[in-house]
Amino acid sequence: MMRGPSPYLVLPVFFLLFCFTASCNELRRVYIVYLGEHKGLRTGREILEDHHSLLRSVKNSEEEALNSVVYSYKHSINGFAALLTEEEATKLSEMEQVVSAFPGEARWSPHTTRSWEFIMQEEGLQGWELEWMTSKAKLGKEVIVGVVDSGVWPESQSFGDAGMGPIPERWKGICQEGDAFDSSNCNKKIIGARYYLKGYEAYYGSLNRTYAYRSPRDHDGHGTHTASTVAGRVVPGVSALGGFARGTAAGGAPLARLAIYKVCWPIPGPNPNIENTCFDADMLAAFDDAIGDGVHVLSVSIGASGVPPKYSNDGIAIGALHAAKHGIVVACSAGNDGPAPATVSNLAPWMITVGASSIDRAFDSLVLLGNGVTIKGQTVTPYVLKSSELYPLVYAGDAVVPGTPGNVSGQCLPNSLDAKKVRGKIVVCLRGSGLRVAKGLEVKRAGGAAIILGNAVANGNEIPVDAHVLPGTAVSSDDAIAILKYINAARRPSAKIGSARTVLGVTPAPVMAAFSSRGPNRVEPNILKPDITAPGLNILAAWSESSSPTKLEDDHRSVKYNLYSGTSMSCPHVSAVAALLKSLHPDWSSSAIRSAMMTTAAVVNTRGAPLTDAAGQAAGPLELGSGHVRPNHASDPGLVYDASYEDYLLFACSSIGAQMDPSFPCPETSPSPSDLNYPSIAISDLNGSVTVRRTVTNVGPGATRYRVTVTEPTGVSVSISPGVLSFKRVGQKKSFSVTLKARGTPGKVYVAGSYTWSDGAHVVRSPIVVSVA
Ligand SMILES: *[C@@H]1O[C@H](CO)[C@@H](O)[C@H](O)[C@H]1NC(C)=O
Ligand SMILES: *[C@@H]1O[C@H](CO)[C@@H](O)[C@H](O)[C@H]1NC(C)=O
Ligand SMILES: *[C@@H]1O[C@H](CO)[C@@H](O)[C@H](O)[C@H]1NC(C)=O
């Protein structure tokens, strides 16, 4: 399995480092110069020469041009990453063959560790269609899933290869060696592994190997967790620390092959254990290799907060476009910046953007207050209080050392608690700023007996569970307020915390996670994002043994499986379903696979009622996308909305007014972005009426007739023509138009509806979201 590193991985790193420690670094940073796709068949040498000659045109010498290269992308993506001044980048961006030249910043980070608020748990896929998964688990064995993340802990039982057949012939990747990682760490499950850090090191300087392996080995845990959620083997009898969530851990496609692309690295600074980042330049190199290596699916639990870049300046969007061109399905996390609107990231229509929702499991522990009131907390803390007596209870805000700012006094930030006031007591801390698990650490440091972590009002009733370093539990914001009232009223407040147990069958489920990022789409409001939601709250999966379950530096525990939450956890669930669909339907395009998942997604919960958010309100398409993924239904969707690479390029012409590929000039008039053949409809600023076109392909059993039904958004009429589609054979396409007319709703509000095609056996649903101008 060992092959040498590909030639361009050994570009002049030393020179880069030299350059960054010397004076030459001042005005330069790594820019990505994106050129579209490669024309015709060219050798690696020809491509490199091309890139060099472009660079030569803005640099003073041949040598300088050569030495400024960080990466040359050569498989599908045509472009390079290079150290440039702003002026050089501008010059390049003005050249005809250049699509864009943008700085690859440290703006990308994995969609959990950035905000440690979302750590938690659960076991594999229990609670959603496990039966389908196991009955068809043999499928997927020829499918290769690339995981673009923080690497892998290869010794985990989840990555064993017992009984697995030979590596699929299409695989062309490598097992790259490095720190604590050699070719023996790849097997028939982890068939390849690579790492990318030239973009990272160009920015931060040399990697500090105290906090990361300079190899595909995962120090952090995030990449191990996501990889095992996609394709971990079936491992019975695992649990989180303390025995929580005991059961069988399994990825969604347990026989699929994994290809590991490590692109995320620790951010130097106060929390290198916790904060990770992933650079555009490194991710593009990973995408380019993955395309050349022969993966079928890419799982990317990475994204950005803040103002999203347009598609031509977005490394993940560019990488995903080229992947889609090669038939690769790309699933990305939607982000953890909810519940505020317009927070969703990964906004291109050629990827699947995945939100996160809960499963039907809780970890109940009762809090008994001195006044006899009981409150239900949630915890996976593996410790219990020594005594079953009541303990004195104190609010952290009443026990801070002098000088603690008033606005953070209840937050249990590091070194804020007065040991004299908390020793031996149960301490109530509030969420807000700081890491949840670090608050527990602070209570322990100051000698507290236990922590009760209260939600802030903004967190509502969605209770995160943590493997705290001391006894404790977490409560909703209503309960936190009740506890604080009791503390204020009682002369000697006291409490005790019962031990926790895992409870299954909790309803309603799923519930949209509060943290899951919401639409509308800030780059192209006429494309609905997120696309779909999947389990992302309290997921149990494999972990890195060099990281503690809380990832805190002062936590020296080590675990093989860990509970974790975020859209980072929901994304690999969808990647796994994509792998199974790819195996069932090898001829389906990436857009057909996405369509199958979207049009069959559930919009009701296990009670049969409409899906809700964490505040108990009905959740609509801006939260859910099309709904909660249902693998079994997705395997037989009846109709699919297909789209080609050219369709996407045409979409880019109209959406961002730019070509994503110089070999595909934009026509003088492009169709509206809403006309992209997408399985959902979003219309921004509807003024009067608009008509969009869609085309469906029959992938059902043969001759059949579909009828449409419509649920109109409030204040918008929807007519679909024709209302009946008759198919004579599999593969046949039929088009229809959807006309939306505003009835004059004032103000810019989003209203939602849907339309559904059905032939009696299949239900093909598309959400509609409209804002009225
Ligand atoms: C790496 O981090 C460790 C721990 O913080 C520190 O002691 C060491 O000096 C760092 N090494 C380098 C090369 O910066
Ligand atoms: C608390 O107040 C200080 C000073 O006004 C401010 O800088 C800080 O961001 C505030 N912290 C929080 C968590 O609001
Ligand atoms: C709606 O369209 C009409 C007619 O084209 C135009 O006069 C009006 O300004 C538009 N309104 C908005 C809010 O765009």
Side-chain angles (χ1 to χ4, degrees):
M1 202 41 249
M2 238 315 275
R3 292 183 212 168
S6 69
Y8 76 86
L9 282 171
V10 286
L11 279 169
V13 173
F14 292 116
F15 186 87
L16 285 186
L17 297 180
F18 167 76
C19 196
F20 264 77
T21 51
S23 58
C24 64
N25 73 347
E26 243 50 275
L27 299 166
R28 293 169 171 206
R29 52 187 183 171
V30 174
Y31 279 81
I32 289 155
V33 179
Y34 173 52
L35 308 169
E37 69 171 315
H38 294 289
K39 283 173 227 54
L41 283 175
R42 297 193 304 165
T43 63
R45 173 173 295 278
E46 284 165 339
I47 292 165
L48 280 179
E49 278 171 4
D50 236 34
H51 295 169
H52 286 160
S53 84
L54 270 176
L55 273 168
R56 180 67 188 85
S57 67
V58 297
K59 297 283 188 187
N60 295 323
S61 70
E62 190 71 33
E63 196 190 5
E64 206 190 312
L66 213 66
N67 287 333
S68 66
V69 179
V70 179
Y71 289 107
S72 266
Y73 308 120
K74 60 171 186 190
H75 291 298
S76 170
I77 300 164
N78 189 8
F80 53 89
L83 286 163
L84 298 172
T85 64
E86 195 181 342
E87 196 190 339
E88 289 164 348
T90 306
K91 260 193 215 157
L92 280 166
S93 71
E94 284 160 358
M95 293 180 184
E96 199 177 327
Q97 66 267 51
V98 175
V99 176
S100 55
F102 57 98
E105 296 285 0
R107 56 193 159 84
W108 298 96
S109 58
H111 266 156
T112 37
T113 50
R114 217 186 96 68
S115 167
W116 188 244
E117 283 292 278
F118 310 117
I119 321 166
M120 301 172 237
Q121 79 137 352
E122 137 77 333
E123 64 166 351
L125 306 184
Q126 183 172 333
W128 66 295
E129 303 183 1
L130 189 63
E131 200 185 317
W132 184 83
M133 185 199 91
T134 44
S135 72
K136 293 188 181 168
K138 287 208 169 46
L139 296 166
K141 69 182 169 28
E142 289 300 313
V143 176
I144 304 165
V145 183
V147 180
V148 181
D149 209 301
S150 67
V152 71
W153 191 263
E155 289 80 9
S156 170
Q157 261 189 288
S158 290
F159 305 123
D161 68 353
M164 290 188 76
I167 290 169
E169 276 177 22
R170 74 185 254 135
W171 177 246
K172 295 191 215 51
I174 61 163
C175 189
Q176 193 181 359
E177 304 199 320
D179 290 351
F181 201 96
D182 64 29
S183 60
S184 73
N185 291 120
C186 292
N187 59 13
K188 293 184 197 132
K189 164 57 74 178
I190 299 173
I191 61 173
R194 300 179 187 257
Y195 67 97
Y196 305 85
L197 82 171
K198 287 191 245 165
Y200 170 92
E201 290 194 325
Y203 189 85
Y204 282 122
S206 191
L207 175 73
N208 187 333
R209 286 147 99 176
T210 313
Y211 299 106
Y213 300 95
R214 195 182 183 87
S215 77
R217 182 175 290 272
D218 180 18
H219 188 279
D220 180 88
H222 189 273
T224 301
H225 202 279
T226 55
S228 65
T229 302
V230 182
R233 300 300 298 273
V234 176
V235 184
V238 306
S239 63
L241 206 63
F244 291 102
R246 187 175 296 283
T248 299
L255 293 184
R257 318 299 176 127
L258 285 166
I260 303 299
Y261 299 91
K262 178 174 175 181
V263 298
C264 300
W265 305 91
I267 299 176
N271 286 316
N273 270 334
I274 288 167
E275 311 231 330
N276 277 252
T277 190
C278 335
F279 280 78
D280 272 329
D282 295 329
M283 287 192 290
L284 267 178
F287 269 99
D288 195 42
D289 275 346
I291 292 166
D293 287 350
V295 305
H296 296 93
V297 174
L298 277 169
S299 193
V300 187
S301 290
I302 299 171
S305 296
V307 178
K310 64 178 183 174
Y311 302 129
S312 52
N313 288 4
D314 175 339
I316 294 184
I318 292 169
L321 178 67
H322 286 267
K325 184 185 175 214
H326 290 261
I328 298 165
V329 185
V330 181
C332 298
S333 45
N336 299 332
D337 297 320
T343 44
V344 61
S345 71
N346 290 323
L347 301 168
W350 45 83
M351 53 175 65
I352 312 177
T353 307
V354 188
S357 35
S358 69
I359 54 159
D360 64 341
R361 176 152 64 185
F363 304 89
D364 291 351
S365 79
L366 292 183
V367 177
L368 175 66
L369 300 180
N371 61 2
V373 169
T374 45
I375 281 171
K376 196 155 54 168
Q378 298 274 319
T379 189
V380 292
T381 305
Y383 309 104
V384 290
L385 284 164
K386 288 207 178 66
S387 153
S388 60
E389 303 295 306
L390 287 166
Y391 282 72
L393 179 68
V394 64
Y395 169 50
D398 299 332
V400 288
V401 291
T404 305
N407 59 352
V408 294
S409 76
Q411 305 270 327
C412 300
L413 299 187
N415 300 314
S416 69
L417 291 176
D418 183 345
K420 288 194 289 297
K421 293 181 181 159
V422 303
R423 180 154 301 137
K425 296 181 183 170
I426 297 176
V427 182
V428 179
C429 304
L430 295 180
R431 288 173 69 190
S433 54
L435 306 175
R436 296 194 309 272
V437 288
K439 295 171 193 273
L441 199 63
E442 169 61 7
V443 172
K444 187 177 186 198
R445 183 203 61 78
I451 180 172
I452 294 177
L453 183 61
N455 273 1
V457 174
N459 307 123
N461 296 325
E462 182 176 293
I463 302 176
V465 292
D466 299 301
H468 282 293
V469 294
L470 79 174
T473 194
V475 301
S476 71
S477 68
D478 288 348
D479 287 337
I481 290 165
I483 294 171
L484 293 186
K485 276 192 179 146
Y486 161 67
I487 290 175
N488 281 335
R491 197 135 49 85
R492 290 184 159 180
S494 63
K496 60 183 179 184
I497 302 173
S499 59
R501 61 192 189 98
T502 307
V503 183
L504 300 179
V506 172
T507 67
V511 168
M512 210 54 218
F515 60 73
S516 187
S517 290
R518 297 333 202 234
N521 179 335
R522 281 173 293 171
V523 168
E524 177 45 72
N526 294 297
I527 290 291
L528 177 61
K529 291 284 171 176
D531 291 307
I532 202 161
T533 182
L537 193 62
N538 299 344
I539 305 298
L540 181 71
W543 199 244
S544 162
E545 288 182 48
S546 62
S547 177
S548 71
T550 60
K551 296 211 287 182
L552 293 174
E553 199 158 7
D554 298 328
D555 181 354
H556 300 293
R557 299 171 297 179
S558 156
V559 292
K560 293 184 186 332
Y561 288 86
N562 198 21
L563 299 164
Y564 220 50
S565 288
T567 52
S568 277
M569 281 61 247
S570 59
C571 169
H573 283 84
V574 165
S575 309
V577 177
L580 293 171
L581 293 178
K582 191 82 198 173
S583 168
L584 274 170
H585 305 288
D587 54 330
W588 282 8
S589 68
S590 66
S591 34
I593 286 175
R594 178 184 49 211
S595 174
M597 283 193 252
M598 286 172 66
T599 60
T600 58
V603 288
V604 295
N605 60 31
T606 49
R607 287 180 183 166
L611 286 174
T612 54
D613 65 18
Q617 305 293 312
L622 294 176
E623 290 89 41
L624 298 167
S626 291
H628 197 256
V629 66
R630 290 196 293 182
N632 201 16
H633 289 75
S635 68
D636 181 21
L639 303 175
V640 294
Y641 294 81
D642 212 344
S644 65
Y645 178 64
E646 285 71 29
D647 292 336
Y648 290 136
L649 296 181
L650 207 53
F651 161 85
C653 289
S654 60
S655 173
I656 58 172
Q659 53 196 46
M660 287 291 278
D661 187 337
S663 68
F664 184 90
C666 289
E668 278 192 10
T669 54
S670 328
S672 137
S674 313
D675 274 324
L676 178 66
N677 199 35
Y678 213 64
S680 58
I681 292 180
I683 305 289
S684 154
D685 294 336
L686 176 63
N687 182 8
S689 80
V690 66
T691 298
V692 301
R693 287 189 69 73
R694 290 289 186 270
T695 300
V696 284
T697 308
N698 180 22
V699 296
T704 180
R705 236 163 96 89
Y706 279 83
R707 253 171 213 294
V708 78
T709 52
V710 174
T711 304
E712 291 182 339
T714 309
V716 177
S717 76
V718 178
S719 58
I720 295 183
S721 173
V724 174
L725 300 175
S726 295
F727 294 90
K728 294 200 179 62
R729 54 173 208 284
V730 177
Q732 196 176 359
K733 291 179 186 289
K734 292 270 173 182
S735 296
F736 59 92
S737 62
V738 182
T739 301
L740 302 110
K741 196 177 281 173
R743 294 204 195 96
T745 310
K748 185 174 168 131
V749 288
Y750 280 89
V751 285
S754 64
Y755 71 93
T756 304
W757 291 102
S758 181
D759 64 350
H762 302 94
V763 176
V764 188
R765 183 182 177 280
S766 293
I768 301 172
V769 179
V770 180
S771 78
V772 178

